């Protein structure tokens, strides 16, 4: 079986990854040597299966440090990235980009740096879990989801820690944005669940939901100067979240525009900007 014949490849550079790519098979693992990797643009591509994904992982979680102009592009199907640390990288572009279907990004951190997006999701059915994203000081959202018109993307963003982001001082400092205004009538069906948003002060929109049929469930917003904002799009659900403002200036709960949303079972305490803002009757908002 693929599992019985699975190979382990140990690499030390992006060029090593390019050399082995054609030979990667379902069940294989690529191990990145511990240490600091400077200016390494990794292109991880392949086709795994649900039962036997192909995994790219750090030799020791958190000890493979990608910095400088390093970045990671993941393309294909059923690929797993595990245990990497991207630190103070940039400039511009994406820190981590997922394209294709059924990828998993887990136990990985992106901290500091001037990437346009720390993580950027294209494609369908990706899972991002148990990751840490913090310290973005440049413009644009920390985490961006593209929403296609042909079918919902159905991503799961769950059990991550979105750490401190200082105020940007202008629009564009969101922690998560799902879609753009021009994608806002597309169904995304992204689930954002059981995440911690910790001092995410980039701007008033902590999450900017610009697509339809997303679910925001059981997240905790702690000491954040902003709100979970349904900016564009319809039929979203906000359920079972905790908004703990501790009186912080700019803290709030939900800013709601669009149609047919459901907000239920949420707990709000100590917010400065009110519990729920409803925007209604604004043509072409």
């Amino acid at each position: 079986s693929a599992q019985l014949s699975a190979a382990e490849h140990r690499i030390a550079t992006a060029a090593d990854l390019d050399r082995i790519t054609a030979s990667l098979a379902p069940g294989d693992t690529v191990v990145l040597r511990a240490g600091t990797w400077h200016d390494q643009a990794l292109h991880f591509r392949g086709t795994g299966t649900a039962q036997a994904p192909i995994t790219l992982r750090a030799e020791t979680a958190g000890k493979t440090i990608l910095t400088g102009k390093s970045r990671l592009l993941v393309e294909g199907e059923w690929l797993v990235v595990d245990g990497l640390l991207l630190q103070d990288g940039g400039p511009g572009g994406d820190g981590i980009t997922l394209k294709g279907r059924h990828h998993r990004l887990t136990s990985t951190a992106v901290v500091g740096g001037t990437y346009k997006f720390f993580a950027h999701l294209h494609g369908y059915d990706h899972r991002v879990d148990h990751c840490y994203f913090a310290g973005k000081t440049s413009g644009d959202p920390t985490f961006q989801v593209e929403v296609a018109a042909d079918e919902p993307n159905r991503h799961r963003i769950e059990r991550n820690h979105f750490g401190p982001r200082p105020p940007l001082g202008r629009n564009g400092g969101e922690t998560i944005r799902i879609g753009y205004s021009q994608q806002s009538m597309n169904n995304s069906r992204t689930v954002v669940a059981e995440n911690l948003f910790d001092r995410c002060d980039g701007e008033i929109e902590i999450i900017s939901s610009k697509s339809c049929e997303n679910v925001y469930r059981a997240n905790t917003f702690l000491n954040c100067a902003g709100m979970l904002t349904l900016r564009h799009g319809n039929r979203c659900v906000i359920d079972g979240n905790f908004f703990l403002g501790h009186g912080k200036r700019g803290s709030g709960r939900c800013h709601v525009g669009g149609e047919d949303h459901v907000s239920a079972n949420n707990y709000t305490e100590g917010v400065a900007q009110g519990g729920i803002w409803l925007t209604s009757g604004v043509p072409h908002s």
Side-chain angles (χ1 to χ4, degrees):
S1 70
Q3 292 282 34
L4 290 175
S5 61
E8 181 175 284
H9 308 266
R10 304 183 74 83
I11 66 170
T13 66
D16 291 344
L17 180 59
D18 290 338
R19 277 194 292 271
I20 66 170
T21 291
S23 66
L24 292 176
D28 283 4
T29 299
V30 180
V31 180
L32 278 65
R33 176 184 55 79
T36 301
W37 294 43
H38 291 282
D39 301 339
Q40 297 293 302
L42 295 165
H43 190 185
F44 178 37
R45 53 198 189 275
T47 304
T49 67
Q51 294 73 31
I54 303 172
T55 299
L56 178 78
R57 68 170 179 84
E59 184 175 40
T60 303
K63 300 297 186 183
T64 298
I65 303 168
L66 305 178
T67 190
K69 296 178 182 177
S70 298
R71 58 196 71 240
L72 172 63
L73 169 60
V74 180
E75 286 189 295
E77 295 187 9
W78 298 107
L79 303 178
V80 176
V81 175
D82 186 3
L84 304 187
L85 169 58
L86 281 70
Q87 190 166 43
D88 299 327
D94 300 335
I96 299 173
T97 311
L98 303 185
K99 295 184 176 182
R101 291 180 180 266
H102 301 294
H103 302 322
R104 183 184 182 192
L105 175 67
T106 187
S107 301
T108 289
V110 186
V111 181
T114 56
Y115 296 117
K116 180 179 176 67
F117 303 122
F118 280 12
H120 195 179
L121 271 55
H122 304 255
Y124 309 90
D125 299 295
H126 303 321
R127 181 187 181 199
V128 179
D129 66 284
H130 298 92
C131 293
Y132 181 63
F133 303 95
K136 193 174 200 303
T137 57
S138 55
D140 297 295
T142 305
F143 195 111
Q144 176 70 39
V145 175
E146 300 292 328
V147 181
D150 57 345
E151 65 173 289
N153 50 256
R154 300 177 298 271
H155 301 317
R156 289 180 294 152
I157 304 166
E158 54 194 6
R159 301 188 179 185
N160 302 288
H161 183 175
F162 291 91
R165 175 169 186 171
L168 182 63
R170 62 182 189 275
N171 188 42
E174 302 95 333
T175 296
I176 297 179
R177 185 171 62 197
I178 302 178
Y180 295 87
S181 297
Q182 65 269 24
Q183 299 174 348
S184 63
M185 293 297 101
N186 298 342
N187 291 331
S188 175
R189 296 184 191 156
T190 291
V191 175
V192 180
E194 299 181 34
N195 301 283
L196 172 62
F197 295 86
D198 167 22
R199 290 165 287 166
C200 296
D201 301 337
E203 63 145 272
I204 195 169
E205 298 183 27
I206 305 165
I207 296 176
S208 184
S209 186
K210 293 188 171 183
S211 47
C212 297
E213 300 184 4
N214 299 311
V215 176
Y216 304 96
R217 179 177 291 129
N219 301 286
T220 298
F221 297 85
L222 180 65
N223 288 331
C224 294
M227 302 184 184
L228 196 176
T229 303
L230 304 183
R231 181 66 181 86
H232 291 302
N234 304 323
R235 303 180 301 281
C236 292
V237 174
I238 301 173
D239 178 42
N241 301 280
F242 292 83
F243 299 88
L244 308 175
H246 292 181
K248 188 172 191 173
R249 184 177 180 181
S251 62
R253 177 171 151 184
C254 308
H255 184 189
V256 179
E259 304 170 5
D260 299 314
H261 301 304
V262 174
S263 178
N265 306 312
N266 300 289
Y267 180 83
T268 307
E269 181 178 305
V271 298
Q273 298 282 29
I276 302 176
W277 286 4
L278 300 177
T279 301
S280 60
V282 181
H284 310 297
S285 66

